[in-house]
Amino acid sequence: MEIGNWKQAIQPEPVPRVLITETAIRRRVRQLARDIKRSCSRRTPVVLGLMNGALFFLADLLRELPPVFEVRCAAIASYKGTKSTGKITGLENIAGDFKGRDVLIVDDILDTGRTLAAVRARLLRLGAKRVDVCVLLVKKKTRRRAVRVRWAGFEIDDEFVVGYGLDYDGLHRGLKDIRIL
Ligand code: IMP
Ligand code: MG
């Protein structure tokens, strides 16, 4: 591959504008971990990270939590480009023993709420006793599905964002800050 093509592939134009800096994310993730630790001191939940969006958020959050948190991941998708398709794929990736367990879902962003509502329902069907949600970002706009989020990092306007795990059709995930596309 030519160098020129390669550069284009990793940084498609136009370069998105920074919404939340790396420093602000780091600080907020630390606070969230502190809050989670405090309220999970009696029963340790299974942490379920939704891939690929929660990739970096999950990794950073985990490193701020004690090593007693059991971690599982499931690949879930619903987006094509900047729009929700309304169809959640990958729910069957959430399998295994959740009977009687407290589960903490970790995801990148709450938008329409369909993903988290479907994942939560699936976990309860698999016998989870309690399901809490921790998301890095919450979009302010009206939701199609009501979802209770126990821990949220930042509330943002209804804009499509990328970086720190969030992608636009697979691109921009590796950005260290969160940017508006
Ligand atoms: P929901 O089901 O509409 O709440 O969408 C949740 C999922 O869509 C998230 O887990 C993300 O993977 C993806 N998503 C929603 N909004 C954005 C965005 O602004 N940027 C990147 N991904 C998004
Ligand atoms: Mg996602």
Side-chain angles (χ1 to χ4, degrees), residues 50-63:
L50 306 188
M51 296 295 118
N52 295 317
L55 190 61
F56 298 114
F57 180 40
L58 177 72
D60 287 346
L61 193 66
L62 281 178
R63 283 177 289 185

Side-chain angles (χ1 to χ4, degrees), residues 16-172:
R17 166 165 75 80
V18 176
L19 179 68
I20 307 170
T21 63
E22 196 186 343
T23 315
I25 297 171
R26 196 176 317 122
R27 197 176 303 141
R28 190 70 186 112
V29 169
R30 240 180 252 140
Q31 288 170 344
L32 288 172
R34 209 173 306 140
D35 295 345
I36 292 170
K37 246 188 299 193
R38 204 173 300 138
S39 53
C40 296
S41 53
R42 287 182 47 221
R43 290 169 55 87
T44 312
V46 179
V47 176
L48 177 68
L50 306 188
M51 296 295 118
N52 295 317
L55 190 61
F56 298 114
F57 180 40
L58 177 72
D60 287 346
L61 193 66
L62 281 178
R63 283 177 289 185
E64 299 291 336
L65 291 170
V68 294
F69 285 70
E70 186 190 327
V71 185
R72 303 184 197 171
C73 291
I76 307 284
S78 67
Y79 262 64
K80 178 129 186 55
T82 62
K83 293 272 172 322
S84 168
T85 60
K87 193 178 174 304
I88 318 291
T89 58
L91 285 173
E92 69 284 359
N93 295 329
I94 304 172
D97 191 11
F98 285 97
K99 250 188 214 101
R101 298 296 306 265
D102 287 3
V103 183
L104 175 61
I105 304 172
V106 174
D107 202 8
D108 50 358
I109 187 164
L110 172 68
D111 183 11
T112 67
R114 288 195 191 107
T115 302
L116 288 169
V119 169
R120 187 167 189 280
R122 167 97 183 160
L123 287 165
L124 293 173
R125 258 199 316 278
L126 291 172
K129 183 164 164 239
R130 181 193 172 103
V131 179
D132 284 312
V133 172
C134 173
V135 285
L136 182 65
L137 306 172
V138 175
K139 283 190 189 172
K140 277 181 202 153
K141 76 162 182 204
T142 352
R143 253 165 265 316
R144 308 253 162 76
R145 301 289 310 266
V147 178
R148 256 200 70 214
V149 172
R150 190 156 179 206
W151 294 284
F154 303 91
E155 207 183 45
I156 64 167
D157 287 326
D158 186 20
E159 268 162 314
F160 196 81
V161 289
V162 293
Y164 194 67
L166 292 117
D167 72 308
Y168 169 68
D169 280 347
L171 296 177
H172 300 296

